[in-house]
Every structure is written in C-alpha cells, then in structure tokens.
C-alpha cells in the first residue's frame, strides 16, 4: 500500500522479575502440554477412579502417575504432581459444566483476563447464550472488576458485537473469551487517586481513536473506489504490486481489499508502539475484510500471509496464545501463501525483484512463531527444529553496523541501507548501486502513475463537460480501459448510463418541459420536433446529450430507453434543516480530515517497510 531508524541491538541485561515470571509461565505451559500428551497416549481418564474417588477428591494413584511422568521428563515430581492435579480439576469442572449445560442450557465460558492481573487469569463464567454481547460484557466487567466501557471481548477471533445475541454470533458452550483492556482497573486507579482522571481520559481517547481509524479508512477506501480525486490536492490510498506499480482490481473487491490493508497498516502501527490491546481489533478487522476477497486474490498477495503472522504475534505478546485455537492453521496458511506468492525456492520473487534477501525476514518471523507454538504445545522436537531455522536465518540477516554507516555517509537512509545490504548479501558497493537504481525506478513509476491518474481525471472532466455524470464517466472509462473515444462510444450506445447520477442537486436540473429554444436547436440540426422534445425530456434539457444520442441512433431514441426520467430519479430532498447542515459542514469536514491524516501518519512511506 502506498500514499502520497537504525538497527537496534539487544543488550544482555540481568533478568527482571517479570522476565523470570514469563519464563516460568512458558515452562509451565510446556509441561502442561507434555503431560496432556502423555495422558492421551496412555488413555488415562483423570476424572475416573483410581485417580478420582466418589467424592471427586484426588486418589492415591495420582502420586504414582506423577512419579512415572517426572522420571520421563526428568523434572521435579512435586511440580508434575501439581500440574496433573490442575489438569484433573479442570477435567472435573468441564464435566460438571457439560452436565449442567445439557440439563439447564446454561453455558460455561472460559474467560482469559489481561496479563497484568496477578490472580488466576483463566476463569469460568456461566451464562445463557440468548443474552446480547452487551449483557455479557457487563457481566464480565461486574464479575472481574472492570469498567464496562473500557474493555473489549474477543471470541472466536472476532470482536464481540454488542447488539447481537451470543447465539447469533456463534458463541457456544466451553468457548474461550479474551478480555482486552483499554484502561487499568479501578483497584489500580485507587492506588494513585491523582491518576484516575488522566487514565479515564486516556481510555476514552483510545476508544475515540479506534472509531476515527474506522472512519478514516472508510473515507480513503471510498476515494480509492471512486478514482476521481485530485492526487495533488486530496490524500488517497492506492494498491501497488512488488515493483510499486498500481494494479487493477475488480470494483467488487477493491474496497474490501483497501479496508483490509488499511486496517492491517493501522494494526502494524500499534504493534510498533507495543499497544497490543488496540492492535488486535484492527488486525482482526483486517482479517475479516480480507476474507471478503476471492481466494485467487489472496493467493497472489503476501499481505494476507503477513497479517496471519501479525495476529499470532499479537496474541503471543498479550500472553493469550492459548486463546488462538488455530494458531497452527494461521501459520501454515502464511507459509502456503508465501509459497504461492514467491514460488518454490523464491524463484518467482527473484524473477520480479532480482533477489529475495529482504523477504527472508518474513520467514524468520514465521519460523520463530512456529517454534514458539510448538513449544507451547509440548512438541519439543519440532520446536527445536523451527527455532534452529530461525537462528540460522538471523545469522544470515545480520548486518554489520559499519557497512550501514558507510551507506549513510553516501546519503542513503538507514532503512535503505539495511534493505540494500540484505538484498545484496552484505556487499556495500552492490548495495549502493541497488539503492540508487531502486530510487530511479520508483521515481519513474511514480511519474508514470501520476500521469496516468492525471489523464483519467481529464477524461472524466471531458465526459462531464458533455453532460454525463461522474459515475457514468467512470464506468464507461473503466469498460474502455481508459480510452476516451471508446468510452464516448459506450455512453452513446448505452444512453441509459446517463441515469448513473451523482446524487448531487446541482446536476439534478429537472424541468417540467423543454424550452422551445432548445427544441428549435435540435430541429435545426435535422431532427423531428416530437422526437427532439422527447429526447430533451429524457435528458432534462441537455441539448448536447440529446443531439449526440439522436445522431448515434439514426434520429430516434433507443426503444429500451425510459422516456420518463421522473420514474428513475427522485428530486433532491430539501428540508428546513439544510441551513443547519450547511453550518456544520465545515466541522464534519475537519473531523474527516483529522481521521484521514491520522491514518496516513501510520502508513509507512517506504513500500518495503514490512
């Protein structure tokens, strides 16, 4: 997507308390996954004797099981026994919940709370599925001590819709719900009363920011769909291929793709700022809009693959990876998409761009996430394999800071230097040539794209000058692949396209009957008086359009052309509030400009920023 820092080194520091806690949590998840594997392989049912007695208390046989598995894992027997007991209790809870759901219809939802909470972050909540999303949010806020308006709920990788029932949204018994917090809890706020107003304002600002993001992207996507904005005066978004050239996409999918890519860029901006709680809703919205595009399109762009990596990474940084049941599926989808886009062994990418050095970083992210997911699932062999792949790629992608400095002294940016060195396997001279050639190529492409846009706008203005609406001119030029003469032929052969109106009162000059002067002009050109009058009625007094249509059709109107425009177009509505609307127009325009500018600030200038 296009619109009109140096390398950071990781310092080795002593581990903070949080880092130790994070490592401990990862180790515990690994042990839980391994023990669950062992239990399934041995077909052990912990909720039945001899591991659970008739009072649902732990049986003596559990100690023997802990001893067996601790020897197998070479770890502390007490720790293994504690985790097996947690698995047993959870199985009993699940069984009780299933029985309760069958008899009463009350479902159990597993609620995952934000990482900052010191208490157990996995909690069970009972509810009926006929309540609305708003009622569930209220229940979660009340139960766990949140302010209702400052949390978002994510279920099945989608934001909970407040106005629909849980059943309508596909929420089922035993589903996982993740709580995203836009504001700290009141308990924390009370610890420092002076920060309460500041934090509440911050939460409100974040919610408004999300709404502005949606509005800004809708405006930009609409401008892109209309393709009639002046690129010199009006900001807009364009979709380009790997070389930077604009690509044509069917109108039915263009807006969805534009919204998908826009939400993705906004989500990436929040990821860079480590605002994962706000980033995730943007990324999930991007996924929703990408899914509205056809599979053939998704298989030809790598954006969808990169989005899958970003979603999995976001869940991981929120420490809620277990809420993403299909993390493996998303990572496999990303890998398949990369293969389709880049070709086996990247040969298609090399053919298009001349190298594949820069895209290796995407595979580094992929292998790293696959390693993390396998580790959390207890697949230590696979985890080791993927992490070793990631480590090898990291070595290949490492860039000598002195080489970056050499390129900086030649006037290149740090970003250009890194990308150029990766594309040229660390050769400074080749990188300098590569960056220079790429700059010249992009400048030429931008010049050609700008000229193409200018010609299209001129052609639209020419057709509008003949009396056609903007929408009619757009459609005709699209069908004629931008050729003005062919577009005019299409419009003359299809006069009904004149009804593609812009809903603009200025273009809606209806008149009860054509003037005698206009009829006389057409008669003077050789047309029959009655036919001339009928044509002027159809085209609302536009002599030029009426003459062109009659001449193109041998002096008569096409039989399929409606002779009563009043039936096709309604007059512009007027109301006493028009003046009030006009007075607030500037305010609305300012708000739209603010929303658009906020989006554009987060869309990187460099097309290879990702």
């Amino acid at each position: 997507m296009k619109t009109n820092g140096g390398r950071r080194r990781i310092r080795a520091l002593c581990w903070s308390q949080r880092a130790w806690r994070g490592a401990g949590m990862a180790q515990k998840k690994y042990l839980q996954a391994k023990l669950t594997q062992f239990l399934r392989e041995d077909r052990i049912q912990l909720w039945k004797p001899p591991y659970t007695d008739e009072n649902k208390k732990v049986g003596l046989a559990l100690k023997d099981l802990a001893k067996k598995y601790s020897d197998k894992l070479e770890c502390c027997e007490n720790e293994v026994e504690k985790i097996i007991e947690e698995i047993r209790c959870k199985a009993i809870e699940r069984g009780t919940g299933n029985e309760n759901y069958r008899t009463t219809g009350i479902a159990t939802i597993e609620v995952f709370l934000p990482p900052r909470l010191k208490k157990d972050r996995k909690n069970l909540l009972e509810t009926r599925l006929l309540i609305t999303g708003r009622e569930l949010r209220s229940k979660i806020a009340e139960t766990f001590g949140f302010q209702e308006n400052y949390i978002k709920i994510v279920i099945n990788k989608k934001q909970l819709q407040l106005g629909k029932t849980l059943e309508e949204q596909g929420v089922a018994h035993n589903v996982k719900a993740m709580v995203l917090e836009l504001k700290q809890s009141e308990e924390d706020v009370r610890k420092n009363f002076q920060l309460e107003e500041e934090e509440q304002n911050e939460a409100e600002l974040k919610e408004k920011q999300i709404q502005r993001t949606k509005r800004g992207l809708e405006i930009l996507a609409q401008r892109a769909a209309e393709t009639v904005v002046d690129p010199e005066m009006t900001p807009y978004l364009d979709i380009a291929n790997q070389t930077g050239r604009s690509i044509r996409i069917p109108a039915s999918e263009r807006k969805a793709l534009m919204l998908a890519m826009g939400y993705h860029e906004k989500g990436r901006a929040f990821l860079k700022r480590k605002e994962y709680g706000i980033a995730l809703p943007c990324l999930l919205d991007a996924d929703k809009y990408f899914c509205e595009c056809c599979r053939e399109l998704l298989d030809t762009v790598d954006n969808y693959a990169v989005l899958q990596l970003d979603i999995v990474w976001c869940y991981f940084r929120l420490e809620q990876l277990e809420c993403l049941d299909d993390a493996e599926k998303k990572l496999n989808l990303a890998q398949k998409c990369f293969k389709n886009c880049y070709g086996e062994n990247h040969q298609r990418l090399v053919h298009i761009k001349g190298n594949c050095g820069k895209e290796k970083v995407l595979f580094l992210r992929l292998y790293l996430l696959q390693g993390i997911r396998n580790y959390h699932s207890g697949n230590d062999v696979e985890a080791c394999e993927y992490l070793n792949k990631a480590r090898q790629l990291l070595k290949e992608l490492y860039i000598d800071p002195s080489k970056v400095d050499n390129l900086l002294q030649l006037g290149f940016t740090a970003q250009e230097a890194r990308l150029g060195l990766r594309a040229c396997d660390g050769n400074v001279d080749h990188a300098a040539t590569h960056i220079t050639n790429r700059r010249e190529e992009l400048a030429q492409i931008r010049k050609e794209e700008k000229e193409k846009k200018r010609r299209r706008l001129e052609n639209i203005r020419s057709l509008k000058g003949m009396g056609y609406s903007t929408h009619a001119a757009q459609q005709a030029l699209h069908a004629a692949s931008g050729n003005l003469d062919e577009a005019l032929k299409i419009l003359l052969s299809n006069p009904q396209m004149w009804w593609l109106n812009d809903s603009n009162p200025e273009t809606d000059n209806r008149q009860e009957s054509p003037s005698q002067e206009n009829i006389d002009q057409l008669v003077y050109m050789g047309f029959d008086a009655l036919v001339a009058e009928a044509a002027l009625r159809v085209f609302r007094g536009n002599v030029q359009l009426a003459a062109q249509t009659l001449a193109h059709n041998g002096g008569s109107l096409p039989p399929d052309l409606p002779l009563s425009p009043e039936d096709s177009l309604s007059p512009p509505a007027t109301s006493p509030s028009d003046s009030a609307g006009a007075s607030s127009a500037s305010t609305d325009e300012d708000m739209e400009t603010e929303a658009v500018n906020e989006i554009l600030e987060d869309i990187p200038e460099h097309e290879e920023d990702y």
Side-chain angles (χ1 to χ4, degrees):
M1 179 170 284
K2 61 182 181 180
T3 65
N4 225 50
R7 183 176 182 273
R8 294 185 180 178
R9 305 189 69 180
I10 300 173
R11 292 181 294 167
L13 301 175
C14 60
W15 283 43
S16 66
Q17 233 179 1
R18 183 175 177 182
W20 277 115
R21 187 169 67 249
M25 285 297 293
Q27 176 70 6
K28 183 178 179 182
K29 286 178 181 178
Y30 170 75
L31 286 175
Q32 284 175 333
K34 291 299 291 183
L35 290 169
T36 301
Q37 272 185 12
F38 293 158
L39 292 167
R40 284 175 182 162
E41 288 168 3
D42 296 340
R43 297 184 178 180
I44 289 174
Q45 297 176 320
L46 291 176
W47 60 94
K48 293 183 178 180
Y51 310 104
T52 300
D53 62 23
E54 63 275 6
N55 296 317
K56 296 186 178 179
K57 301 293 184 183
V58 61
L60 296 176
L62 193 135
K63 269 194 173 298
D64 297 332
L65 197 63
K67 175 72 169 62
K68 173 185 170 183
Y69 289 155
S70 63
D71 291 343
K72 196 172 180 179
L73 290 167
E74 297 180 352
C75 61
C76 174
E77 183 180 338
N78 288 338
E79 183 67 19
V80 170
E81 184 180 350
K82 183 180 177 183
I83 293 175
I84 292 177
E85 172 61 6
E86 287 179 7
I87 296 172
R88 187 190 73 86
C89 291
K90 187 173 179 180
I92 292 172
E93 279 183 351
R94 195 176 185 91
T96 304
N98 291 342
E99 182 61 30
N100 188 40
Y101 180 62
R102 281 193 295 269
T103 56
T104 66
I106 296 176
T108 300
I109 294 178
E110 194 172 4
V111 181
F112 288 75
L113 303 175
R116 69 170 187 80
L117 296 178
K118 302 293 188 295
K119 54 187 174 181
D120 185 8
R121 285 166 46 207
K122 276 195 292 185
N123 297 270
L124 300 180
L125 185 73
E126 293 186 339
T127 182
R128 294 192 178 276
L129 299 178
L130 295 176
I131 67 170
T132 63
R134 181 172 282 102
E135 289 171 306
L136 177 64
R137 186 182 69 170
S138 299
K139 197 169 186 177
I140 289 174
E142 183 181 352
T143 305
F144 301 111
F146 296 107
Q147 284 201 27
E148 182 181 341
N149 291 333
Y150 302 136
I151 59 172
K152 288 187 178 292
I153 313 298
V154 175
I155 298 178
N156 295 332
K157 303 174 290 298
K158 295 177 183 176
Q159 285 189 70
L160 188 68
Q161 296 183 47
L162 302 181
K164 292 186 177 180
T165 67
L166 304 185
E167 199 170 55
E168 288 173 335
Q169 298 180 65
V171 177
H173 174 57
N174 283 332
V175 77
K176 295 175 181 177
M178 183 171 69
V179 179
L180 297 176
E181 192 177 21
L182 300 180
K183 174 184 182 297
Q184 290 188 345
S185 69
E186 286 303 300
E187 181 182 350
D188 288 336
V189 173
R190 280 194 294 271
K191 289 177 183 177
N192 193 340
F193 182 75
Q194 293 178 347
L195 294 177
E196 181 172 0
E197 185 176 352
E198 181 183 334
E199 289 187 357
Q200 186 161 334
N201 289 340
E202 181 185 350
E204 290 171 354
L205 285 172
K206 286 183 177 179
E207 180 59 30
K208 288 178 181 177
Q209 190 175 23
I210 291 171
Q211 296 306 318
R212 282 200 305 274
T213 294
K214 292 183 176 181
R215 179 61 185 143
L217 285 171
E218 285 170 0
I219 293 168
L220 288 167
Q222 186 61 38
R223 287 176 183 173
E226 291 174 353
T227 64
V228 292
V229 296
D230 185 346
E232 297 295 328
M233 303 296 294
T234 310
Y236 72 102
L237 297 180
D238 198 9
I239 300 174
N241 60 17
Q242 291 97 329
T243 64
R245 294 188 183 277
S246 297
I247 53 178
R248 292 186 67 181
I249 294 171
S252 58
E253 297 186 20
R254 185 177 180 85
K255 186 173 181 180
L257 184 60
M258 191 69 71
L259 286 169
M261 295 173 73
Y263 275 114
H264 188 191
E265 290 293 352
K266 192 67 181 178
R268 286 182 62 244
F270 286 127
L271 281 180
K272 288 179 183 179
R273 297 195 285 267
K274 300 186 190 301
E275 296 183 55
Y276 303 110
I278 304 180
L280 185 58
C282 290
L283 298 176
L284 294 177
D285 279 339
D287 197 43
K288 178 183 73 173
Y289 284 111
F290 266 123
C291 289
E292 292 181 12
C293 301
C294 67
R295 174 53 56 183
E296 291 77 12
L297 181 60
L298 297 184
D299 284 341
T300 57
V301 294
D302 62 3
N303 306 71
Y304 190 51
V306 176
L307 174 64
Q308 305 311 306
L309 299 184
D310 287 337
I311 289 174
V312 176
W313 180 253
C314 202
Y315 272 95
F316 172 64
R317 291 310 303 264
L318 286 165
E319 298 180 31
Q320 303 282 23
L321 198 56
E322 55 196 309
C323 286
L324 190 61
D325 295 329
D326 64 345
E328 181 179 14
K329 180 182 173 183
K330 284 191 173 295
L331 295 175
N332 289 340
L333 179 62
Q335 191 164 17
K336 179 185 175 185
C337 188
F338 284 141
K339 183 179 176 181
N340 290 338
C341 291
Y342 301 156
E344 198 76 47
N345 300 319
H346 306 165
Q347 74 269 20
R348 182 170 176 266
L349 188 64
V350 172
H351 176 72
I352 294 172
K353 301 181 77 171
N355 65 82
C356 62
K358 291 172 283 192
E359 277 69 19
K360 284 182 179 178
V361 72
L362 300 177
F363 288 89
L364 169 59
R365 294 185 64 202
L366 174 64
Y367 296 149
L368 178 62
L369 286 169
Q370 285 175 322
I372 292 170
R373 193 210 67 79
N374 275 285
Y375 179 77
H376 281 224
S377 300
N379 304 324
D380 43 348
V381 176
E382 292 86 347
C384 189
E385 180 184 334
Y386 282 118
L387 292 173
N388 280 332
K389 279 186 176 181
R391 182 169 58 182
Q392 181 59 39
L393 263 183
L394 184 60
K395 287 179 182 178
E396 292 177 23
L397 290 167
Y398 172 76
I399 293 172
D400 185 345
S402 64
K403 293 182 178 182
V404 175
D405 290 337
N406 290 340
L407 290 170
L408 289 175
Q409 289 171 14
L410 295 175
F412 302 120
T413 68
Q415 187 180 46
E416 286 177 322
R418 289 194 303 274
L419 290 168
L421 286 167
R422 287 191 180 126
C424 300
D425 298 321
N427 187 301
V428 175
D429 293 334
H430 292 173
T433 303
H434 172 82
I435 297 168
T436 303
N437 291 341
R438 183 61 180 151
R439 279 184 172 183
E440 292 173 357
E441 182 186 353
L442 283 175
Q444 181 61 29
I445 288 171
R446 290 191 185 111
K447 183 179 177 182
E448 291 172 6
E449 293 295 324
K450 186 177 177 181
E451 178 60 22
K452 190 190 299 182
K453 184 79 176 177
R454 187 192 63 76
R455 284 200 308 269
R456 180 172 175 79
L457 285 171
E458 281 186 359
N459 289 343
I460 288 173
R461 291 188 186 112
S462 296
L463 292 173
K464 286 181 70 176
M466 299 176 191
Y468 294 104
S469 69
T470 300
H471 288 178
Q474 275 183 276
Q475 284 207 7
L477 284 166
H478 180 77
S481 300
N483 186 295
L484 180 60
D485 293 335
E486 289 298 318
L488 185 56
K489 288 179 183 178
I490 290 170
L491 288 168
L492 290 172
S493 300
N494 300 276
Q496 64 273 15
M497 290 181 71
W498 189 75
W499 268 266
L500 295 171
N501 199 278
D502 296 328
S503 299
N504 185 341
E506 291 181 7
T507 64
D508 202 359
N509 343 326
R510 294 159 33 101
Q511 50 187 63
E512 290 300 322
S513 58
S515 68
Q516 188 60 46
E517 182 183 353
N518 288 348
I519 294 173
D520 291 342
Q521 282 187 53
L522 291 177
V523 171
Y524 182 77
M525 295 178 194
F527 300 116
D528 179 79
L530 291 176
V531 175
E533 184 177 355
L536 287 168
R537 285 183 182 278
V538 168
F539 293 107
R540 298 181 190 164
N542 190 310
V543 176
Q544 188 175 8
L545 274 179
Q548 287 175 343
T549 304
L550 291 174
H552 189 75
N553 291 276
S556 61
L557 288 171
D560 59 340
L561 188 66
L563 299 181
S564 183
E566 290 82 357
D567 296 336
S568 301
L569 291 166
S570 56
T574 57
S575 70
S577 64
D578 283 349
S579 57
S583 65
S584 65
S586 59
T587 306
D588 292 341
E589 188 175 334
D590 290 342
M591 291 174 67
E592 288 191 355
T593 302
E594 181 185 349
V596 167
N597 289 339
E598 203 168 281
I599 296 294
L600 296 178
E601 284 171 7
D602 284 331
I603 293 178
E605 287 289 334
H606 202 289
E607 73 280 356
E608 291 179 326
D609 178 81
Y610 71 96

